[in-house]
Amino acid sequence: EIPFLMLDDLSSELDENHLGRVLAAGLDLGAQIFLTGTGLVPAIRSCNSAYTMFHVKHGCVSMAAEQTA
């Protein structure tokens, strides 16, 4: 089974270096990672992998314009 990690607002708790280490460890496990937060820029900069970002507003989910393949 492929693991997945759900991490809430991790960038408010960790600096960019440590955030990158957490994400890298998850990716090394082959995990799918779900991140939430209001300041995802450090997480995105730390991520050396493809990602898709979604935006949630008033209960509606939409795919954000910024993403990688």
Side-chain angles (χ1 to χ4, degrees):
E1 294 182 26
I2 298 173
F4 69 90
L5 300 174
M6 298 181 77
L7 306 169
D8 181 41
D9 204 14
L10 203 58
S11 60
S12 71
E13 303 296 330
L14 300 174
D15 62 26
E16 193 170 329
N17 178 48
H18 288 94
L19 178 59
R21 292 173 67 182
V22 169
L23 295 176
L27 293 171
D28 286 346
L29 291 172
Q32 185 173 9
I33 302 172
F34 294 85
L35 293 172
T36 65
T38 56
L40 292 178
V41 172
I44 291 169
R45 279 197 306 256
S46 299
C47 186
N48 191 19
S49 183
Y51 64 89
T52 302
M53 187 172 17
F54 295 90
H55 181 74
V56 180
K57 184 174 182 177
H58 303 296
C60 295
V61 180
S62 59
M63 190 176 296
E66 185 177 336
Q67 59 187 336
T68 66

Coordinates of all heavy atoms in Angstrom, one line a residue:
E1 N 0.8 -1.2 0.0 CA 0.0 0.0 0.0 C 0.9 1.2 0.0 O 1.9 1.3 0.6 CB -0.9 0.0 1.2 CG -1.9 -1.1 1.2 CD -2.8 -1.0 2.4 OE1 -3.0 0.1 3.0 OE2 -3.3 -2.1 2.8
I2 N 0.4 2.3 -0.7 CA 1.1 3.5 -0.8 C 0.7 4.4 0.4 O -0.5 4.7 0.5 CB 0.9 4.2 -2.1 CG1 1.4 3.4 -3.2 CG2 1.5 5.6 -2.1 CD1 1.1 3.9 -4.6
P3 N 1.6 4.9 1.2 CA 1.2 5.7 2.4 C 0.8 7.1 1.9 O 1.2 7.6 0.8 CB 2.4 5.8 3.3 CG 3.5 5.5 2.3 CD 3.0 4.6 1.2
F4 N 0.0 7.8 2.7 CA -0.2 9.3 2.4 C -0.1 10.0 3.7 O -0.4 9.5 4.8 CB -1.5 9.5 1.7 CG -2.8 9.3 2.5 CD1 -3.3 10.3 3.3 CD2 -3.4 8.1 2.5 CE1 -4.5 10.1 4.0 CE2 -4.5 7.9 3.2 CZ -5.1 8.9 4.0
L5 N 0.4 11.2 3.6 CA 0.6 12.1 4.8 C -0.4 13.3 4.6 O -0.5 13.9 3.6 CB 2.0 12.6 4.8 CG 3.1 11.6 5.0 CD1 4.5 12.3 4.9 CD2 3.0 10.9 6.3
M6 N -1.1 13.6 5.7 CA -1.9 14.8 5.8 C -1.3 15.7 6.8 O -1.2 15.4 8.0 CB -3.3 14.4 6.1 CG -4.0 13.5 5.1 SD -5.7 13.1 5.5 CE -6.5 14.6 5.0
L7 N -0.8 16.9 6.3 CA -0.1 17.8 7.2 C -0.8 19.2 7.2 O -0.9 19.8 6.1 CB 1.4 17.9 6.7 CG 2.2 16.6 6.5 CD1 3.5 16.8 5.8 CD2 2.4 16.0 7.9
D8 N -1.2 19.7 8.3 CA -1.9 20.9 8.4 C -1.0 22.1 8.8 O -0.4 22.0 9.9 CB -3.0 20.8 9.4 CG -3.9 22.0 9.5 OD1 -4.2 22.6 8.5 OD2 -4.3 22.4 10.7
D9 N -0.9 23.0 8.0 CA -0.2 24.3 8.2 C 1.2 24.1 8.7 O 1.7 24.8 9.7 CB -1.0 25.2 9.2 CG -0.7 26.6 9.1 OD1 0.0 27.0 8.1 OD2 -1.1 27.4 10.0
L10 N 1.9 23.2 8.1 CA 3.3 22.8 8.6 C 4.2 24.0 8.4 O 5.2 24.2 9.2 CB 3.8 21.6 7.8 CG 4.9 20.8 8.4 CD1 4.5 20.2 9.7 CD2 5.3 19.7 7.4
S11 N 4.0 24.9 7.4 CA 4.9 26.0 7.2 C 4.9 27.0 8.4 O 5.8 27.8 8.5 CB 4.7 26.6 5.9 OG 3.4 27.1 5.8
S12 N 3.8 27.0 9.2 CA 3.8 27.9 10.3 C 4.6 27.4 11.5 O 4.9 28.1 12.4 CB 2.3 28.1 10.8 OG 1.8 27.0 11.4
E13 N 4.9 26.1 11.5 CA 5.6 25.4 12.6 C 7.1 25.2 12.3 O 7.9 25.2 13.2 CB 5.0 24.1 12.9 CG 3.5 24.2 13.3 CD 3.2 25.0 14.5 OE1 4.1 25.0 15.4 OE2 2.2 25.6 14.6
L14 N 7.5 25.1 11.0 CA 8.8 24.7 10.6 C 9.4 25.8 9.7 O 8.7 26.4 8.8 CB 8.9 23.4 9.9 CG 8.4 22.2 10.7 CD1 8.3 21.0 9.8 CD2 9.2 22.0 11.9
D15 N 10.7 26.0 9.7 CA 11.4 26.9 8.8 C 11.5 26.1 7.4 O 11.2 24.9 7.4 CB 12.7 27.4 9.2 CG 13.7 26.3 9.5 OD1 13.6 25.2 8.9 OD2 14.6 26.5 10.3
E16 N 11.8 26.8 6.4 CA 11.9 26.2 5.0 C 12.8 25.0 5.0 O 12.4 24.0 4.3 CB 12.3 27.3 4.0 CG 12.0 26.8 2.6 CD 12.2 27.9 1.6 OE1 11.9 29.1 1.9 OE2 12.6 27.6 0.5
N17 N 13.9 25.0 5.6 CA 14.9 23.9 5.6 C 14.2 22.7 6.2 O 14.3 21.6 5.6 CB 16.1 24.3 6.4 CG 17.1 23.1 6.4 OD1 17.4 22.5 5.4 ND2 17.6 22.9 7.6
H18 N 13.7 22.8 7.4 CA 13.1 21.6 8.1 C 11.8 21.1 7.3 O 11.5 19.9 7.3 CB 12.8 21.9 9.5 CG 14.0 22.0 10.3 ND1 14.6 23.2 10.6 CD2 14.7 21.1 10.9 CE1 15.7 23.0 11.3 NE2 15.8 21.7 11.5
L19 N 11.0 22.1 6.8 CA 9.9 21.7 6.0 C 10.3 20.9 4.8 O 9.7 19.8 4.5 CB 9.1 23.0 5.5 CG 7.9 22.8 4.6 CD1 6.9 21.9 5.3 CD2 7.4 24.1 4.2
G20 N 11.4 21.3 4.1 CA 11.9 20.5 3.0 C 12.3 19.1 3.4 O 12.1 18.2 2.7
R21 N 12.9 19.0 4.6 CA 13.3 17.7 5.1 C 12.2 16.8 5.3 O 12.2 15.6 5.0 CB 14.2 17.9 6.3 CG 15.5 18.5 6.0 CD 16.3 18.9 7.2 NE 16.8 17.6 7.9 CZ 17.5 17.6 9.0 NH1 17.8 18.8 9.6 NH2 17.9 16.5 9.5
V22 N 11.1 17.3 5.9 CA 9.9 16.5 6.2 C 9.3 16.1 4.8 O 8.9 14.9 4.7 CB 8.8 17.3 7.0 CG1 7.5 16.6 7.0 CG2 9.4 17.6 8.4
L23 N 9.2 17.0 3.9 CA 8.6 16.6 2.6 C 9.4 15.6 1.9 O 8.9 14.7 1.3 CB 8.4 17.9 1.7 CG 7.3 18.9 2.3 CD1 7.3 20.1 1.4 CD2 6.0 18.2 2.4
A24 N 10.8 15.8 1.9 CA 11.7 14.9 1.3 C 11.6 13.5 1.9 O 11.6 12.5 1.1 CB 13.1 15.4 1.3
A25 N 11.4 13.4 3.2 CA 11.3 12.1 3.8 C 10.0 11.4 3.4 O 10.0 10.2 3.1 CB 11.3 12.3 5.4
G26 N 8.9 12.2 3.3 CA 7.7 11.6 2.8 C 7.8 11.1 1.4 O 7.3 10.1 1.0
L27 N 8.4 11.9 0.5 CA 8.5 11.5 -0.9 C 9.5 10.3 -1.0 O 9.2 9.5 -1.9 CB 9.1 12.7 -1.7 CG 8.1 13.9 -1.8 CD1 8.8 15.1 -2.5 CD2 6.9 13.5 -2.6
D28 N 10.5 10.2 -0.2 CA 11.4 9.0 -0.2 C 10.6 7.8 0.2 O 10.9 6.7 -0.3 CB 12.5 9.2 0.8 CG 13.6 10.2 0.3 OD1 13.5 10.5 -0.9 OD2 14.4 10.6 1.1
L29 N 9.5 7.9 1.0 CA 8.7 6.8 1.3 C 7.7 6.4 0.2 O 7.0 5.4 0.2 CB 7.9 7.1 2.6 CG 8.6 7.2 3.9 CD1 7.7 7.6 5.0 CD2 9.2 5.8 4.2
G30 N 7.7 7.3 -0.8 CA 6.7 7.1 -1.9 C 5.3 7.6 -1.5 O 4.3 7.2 -2.1
A31 N 5.2 8.4 -0.5 CA 3.9 8.9 0.0 C 3.3 9.9 -0.9 O 4.0 10.7 -1.5 CB 4.1 9.4 1.4
Q32 N 2.0 10.0 -0.9 CA 1.3 11.1 -1.4 C 1.1 12.1 -0.3 O 0.6 11.6 0.8 CB -0.1 10.6 -2.0 CG -0.8 11.7 -2.7 CD -2.0 11.2 -3.4 OE1 -2.4 10.0 -3.3 NE2 -2.7 12.0 -4.2
I33 N 1.3 13.3 -0.5 CA 1.3 14.3 0.6 C 0.2 15.3 0.4 O 0.2 16.0 -0.7 CB 2.7 15.0 0.8 CG1 3.8 13.9 1.0 CG2 2.7 16.0 1.9 CD1 5.2 14.5 1.0
F34 N -0.6 15.5 1.4 CA -1.6 16.5 1.4 C -1.2 17.6 2.4 O -1.1 17.3 3.6 CB -3.0 16.0 1.8 CG -3.6 15.0 0.8 CD1 -3.2 13.7 0.9 CD2 -4.4 15.4 -0.2 CE1 -3.7 12.7 0.0 CE2 -4.9 14.5 -1.1 CZ -4.6 13.2 -1.0
L35 N -1.1 18.8 1.9 CA -0.7 20.0 2.8 C -1.8 21.0 2.8 O -2.4 21.2 1.8 CB 0.5 20.7 2.3 CG 1.9 20.0 2.3 CD1 2.9 20.8 1.5 CD2 2.3 19.7 3.7
T36 N -2.1 21.5 4.0 CA -3.0 22.6 4.1 C -2.3 23.8 4.7 O -1.3 23.6 5.4 CB -4.2 22.3 5.0 OG1 -3.8 22.1 6.3 CG2 -4.9 21.1 4.5
G37 N -2.8 25.0 4.5 CA -2.2 26.2 5.1 C -2.5 27.4 4.4 O -3.0 27.4 3.2
T38 N -2.2 28.5 5.0 CA -2.4 29.8 4.3 C -1.2 30.3 3.7 O -1.3 31.2 2.8 CB -2.9 30.9 5.4 OG1 -2.0 30.9 6.4 CG2 -4.3 30.4 6.0
G39 N 0.0 29.9 4.1 CA 1.2 30.3 3.5 C 2.0 29.1 2.9 O 2.9 28.6 3.5
L40 N 1.6 28.7 1.8 CA 2.2 27.5 1.2 C 3.4 27.8 0.3 O 4.1 26.8 -0.2 CB 1.2 26.7 0.3 CG 0.0 26.1 1.1 CD1 -1.0 25.4 0.2 CD2 0.6 25.1 2.1
V41 N 3.8 29.0 0.2 CA 5.0 29.3 -0.7 C 6.2 28.6 -0.2 O 6.9 28.0 -1.0 CB 5.2 30.9 -0.8 CG1 6.5 31.2 -1.5 CG2 4.0 31.5 -1.5
P42 N 6.6 28.6 1.1 CA 7.7 27.9 1.6 C 7.6 26.4 1.2 O 8.6 25.7 0.8 CB 7.8 28.1 3.1 CG 7.0 29.3 3.3 CD 6.0 29.3 2.2
A43 N 6.5 25.8 1.4 CA 6.3 24.4 1.1 C 6.5 24.1 -0.4 O 7.1 23.1 -0.7 CB 4.9 23.9 1.5
I44 N 6.0 25.0 -1.2 CA 6.1 24.7 -2.7 C 7.6 24.9 -3.1 O 8.1 24.1 -3.9 CB 5.2 25.7 -3.4 CG1 3.7 25.3 -3.2 CG2 5.5 25.7 -4.9 CD1 2.8 26.3 -3.7
R45 N 8.3 25.9 -2.5 CA 9.7 26.0 -2.8 C 10.5 24.8 -2.3 O 11.5 24.4 -2.9 CB 10.2 27.3 -2.2 CG 10.0 28.5 -3.0 CD 10.9 29.7 -2.5 NE 10.8 29.9 -1.1 CZ 10.1 30.9 -0.5 NH1 9.5 31.8 -1.3 NH2 10.2 31.1 0.8
S46 N 10.1 24.2 -1.2 CA 10.8 23.1 -0.7 C 10.5 21.8 -1.4 O 11.2 20.8 -1.3 CB 10.4 22.8 0.8 OG 10.7 24.0 1.5
C47 N 9.4 21.7 -2.2 CA 9.0 20.5 -2.8 C 9.7 20.3 -4.2 O 9.6 21.2 -5.1 CB 7.5 20.6 -3.1 SG 6.8 19.1 -3.8
N48 N 10.5 19.3 -4.2 CA 11.2 19.0 -5.5 C 10.5 17.8 -6.2 O 11.1 16.8 -6.5 CB 12.7 18.6 -5.1 CG 13.5 18.5 -6.4 OD1 13.2 19.1 -7.4 ND2 14.6 17.8 -6.3
S49 N 9.2 18.0 -6.4 CA 8.4 17.0 -7.0 C 7.1 17.7 -7.6 O 6.9 18.9 -7.3 CB 7.9 16.0 -5.9 OG 7.1 15.0 -6.5
A50 N 6.5 17.0 -8.5 CA 5.2 17.5 -9.1 C 4.2 17.7 -8.0 O 4.1 17.0 -7.1 CB 4.7 16.6 -10.2
Y51 N 3.4 18.7 -8.2 CA 2.3 19.0 -7.3 C 1.1 19.6 -8.0 O 1.2 20.2 -9.0 CB 2.7 19.9 -6.1 CG 3.1 21.3 -6.5 CD1 2.2 22.3 -6.6 CD2 4.4 21.6 -6.9 CE1 2.5 23.6 -7.0 CE2 4.7 22.9 -7.3 CZ 3.8 23.8 -7.4 OH 4.1 25.1 -7.8
T52 N 0.0 19.5 -7.3 CA -1.3 20.2 -7.8 C -1.8 20.9 -6.6 O -1.9 20.4 -5.5 CB -2.3 19.2 -8.3 OG1 -1.8 18.4 -9.4 CG2 -3.6 19.9 -8.8
M53 N -2.2 22.2 -6.8 CA -2.7 23.0 -5.7 C -4.2 23.3 -5.9 O -4.6 23.5 -7.0 CB -1.9 24.3 -5.6 CG -2.3 25.1 -4.3 SD -1.3 26.5 -4.0 CE -0.4 26.9 -5.4
F54 N -4.9 23.2 -4.8 CA -6.3 23.5 -4.8 C -6.6 24.6 -3.9 O -5.9 24.8 -2.9 CB -7.2 22.2 -4.4 CG -7.0 21.1 -5.3 CD1 -6.0 20.1 -5.2 CD2 -7.9 21.0 -6.4 CE1 -5.9 19.1 -6.0 CE2 -7.8 19.9 -7.3 CZ -6.8 19.0 -7.1
H55 N -7.7 25.4 -4.2 CA -8.1 26.5 -3.4 C -9.5 26.2 -2.8 O -10.3 25.8 -3.6 CB -8.1 27.8 -4.2 CG -8.5 29.0 -3.5 ND1 -7.6 29.6 -2.6 CD2 -9.6 29.7 -3.4 CE1 -8.3 30.6 -2.0 NE2 -9.5 30.7 -2.5
V56 N -9.7 26.4 -1.5 CA -11.0 26.2 -0.9 C -11.5 27.5 -0.4 O -10.8 28.2 0.4 CB -10.9 25.2 0.2 CG1 -12.3 25.0 0.9 CG2 -10.3 23.9 -0.2
K57 N -12.6 27.9 -0.9 CA -13.2 29.2 -0.4 C -14.7 29.0 -0.2 O -15.4 28.6 -1.2 CB -12.9 30.3 -1.4 CG -13.4 31.7 -1.0 CD -13.0 32.8 -1.9 CE -13.4 34.1 -1.4 NZ -12.9 35.2 -2.3
H58 N -15.2 29.3 1.0 CA -16.6 29.1 1.3 C -17.1 27.7 1.0 O -18.2 27.6 0.4 CB -17.4 30.2 0.6 CG -17.0 31.6 1.0 ND1 -17.1 32.1 2.2 CD2 -16.5 32.6 0.2 CE1 -16.6 33.4 2.2 NE2 -16.2 33.7 1.0
G59 N -16.3 26.7 1.2 CA -16.7 25.3 1.0 C -16.6 24.9 -0.5 O -16.9 23.7 -0.8
C60 N -16.2 25.7 -1.4 CA -16.0 25.4 -2.8 C -14.6 25.1 -3.1 O -13.7 25.9 -2.8 CB -16.6 26.5 -3.7 SG -18.3 26.8 -3.5
V61 N -14.3 24.0 -3.7 CA -12.9 23.6 -4.1 C -12.7 23.8 -5.6 O -13.5 23.4 -6.4 CB -12.7 22.1 -3.7 CG1 -11.3 21.7 -4.1 CG2 -13.0 21.8 -2.3
S62 N -11.6 24.5 -5.9 CA -11.2 24.7 -7.3 C -9.7 24.5 -7.4 O -9.0 24.6 -6.5 CB -11.6 26.1 -7.7 OG -10.9 27.1 -7.0
M63 N -9.3 24.1 -8.6 CA -7.9 23.8 -8.9 C -7.2 25.2 -9.1 O -7.7 26.0 -9.8 CB -7.7 23.0 -10.1 CG -6.2 22.5 -10.3 SD -6.0 21.4 -11.7 CE -6.9 20.0 -11.2
A64 N -6.2 25.4 -8.3 CA -5.4 26.7 -8.4 C -4.6 26.7 -9.7 O -4.3 25.7 -10.3 CB -4.5 26.9 -7.2
A65 N -4.4 27.9 -10.2 CA -3.7 28.0 -11.5 C -2.2 27.6 -11.4 O -1.7 27.1 -12.4 CB -3.7 29.5 -12.0
E66 N -1.6 27.7 -10.2 CA -0.2 27.4 -10.1 C 0.0 25.9 -9.8 O -0.5 25.4 -8.8 CB 0.4 28.2 -8.9 CG 1.9 28.0 -8.8 CD 2.4 28.9 -7.7 OE1 1.8 29.9 -7.4 OE2 3.5 28.5 -7.1
Q67 N 0.7 25.2 -10.6 CA 1.0 23.8 -10.4 C 2.1 23.3 -11.3 O 2.4 24.0 -12.3 CB -0.3 22.9 -10.6 CG -0.9 23.0 -12.0 CD -2.2 22.3 -12.1 OE1 -2.5 21.4 -11.3 NE2 -3.1 22.7 -13.0
T68 N 2.6 22.1 -11.1 CA 3.6 21.5 -12.0 C 3.1 20.1 -12.4 O 2.2 19.5 -11.7 CB 4.9 21.3 -11.3 OG1 4.8 20.3 -10.3 CG2 5.5 22.6 -10.8
A69 N 3.6 19.7 -13.5 CA 3.1 18.4 -14.0 C 3.9 17.2 -13.4 O 5.0 17.3 -12.9 CB 3.3 18.3 -15.5

